[in-house]
Amino acid sequence: MTDKKPSVLFVCVHNAGRSQMAAGWLRHLAGDSVEVRSAGSAPADQINSVAVDAMAEVGIDITGQSPKILTPEDSEASSVVVTMGCGDVCPYFPGQRHEDWKLDDPAGQGIDAVRLIRDEIRDRVQALVKDLLPNR
């Protein structure tokens, strides 16, 4: 019997900064060992360019991603749902692990502030990977 691959959904309001950076970190740190999704309750038109720049500084390219609308199906298909300020619009399904990460919103912030947010997200994603993939 094989264990099902963990699936993580990162959700923030615009799916343009925090959730995109978190998804980028998880893809970078876990490779294909974890299925990664991100979405927003009110997606922006494009990813925050300062978030893109901050991630590029550490060698992670998130330019190929685009903000997506949060659907109940995405949430239901995920074993872990990490919310970042989306409030009551984030659906909850029994049997899922839910975490709410209190993080500053990078929208409208300069690169120095976004670097701090990026690094805090990295630390949280590293802990998540350790928990999801203990033998890694």
Side-chain angles (χ1 to χ4, degrees):
M1 184 164 120
T2 59
D3 291 337
K4 185 180 174 210
K5 182 192 307 193
S7 176
V8 178
L9 171 64
F10 294 104
V11 184
C12 67
V13 175
H14 300 296
N15 190 221
R18 294 168 289 191
S19 56
Q20 292 288 352
M21 288 191 289
W25 274 119
L26 185 55
R27 286 184 192 100
H28 178 75
L29 294 170
D32 62 359
S33 299
V34 176
E35 186 177 345
V36 181
R37 296 181 177 93
S38 71
S41 54
D45 294 329
Q46 61 187 17
I47 295 180
N48 179 327
S49 62
V50 182
V52 169
D53 292 344
M55 294 299 285
E57 289 178 351
V58 294
I60 299 173
D61 181 5
I62 60 171
T63 58
Q65 303 301 313
S66 60
K68 295 173 250 357
I69 187 73
L70 173 64
T71 67
E73 293 80 18
D74 283 337
S75 184
E76 190 172 25
S78 302
S79 48
V80 179
V81 177
V82 178
T83 56
M84 306 170 187
C86 66
D88 294 337
V89 298
C90 295
Y92 176 85
F93 293 95
Q96 286 178 323
R97 173 178 164 185
H98 282 259
E99 294 186 18
D100 186 39
W101 293 357
K102 304 288 187 210
L103 297 161
D104 290 337
D105 188 345
Q109 303 224 35
I111 190 69
D112 291 335
V114 175
R115 284 181 185 125
L116 295 173
I117 297 165
R118 173 201 67 201
D119 293 347
E120 184 175 352
I121 291 171
R122 177 201 58 219
D123 294 346
R124 290 174 185 241
V125 170
Q126 284 175 328
L128 182 62
V129 168
K130 234 181 200 179
D131 189 48
L132 292 175
L133 306 170
N135 298 322
R136 194 175 163 102

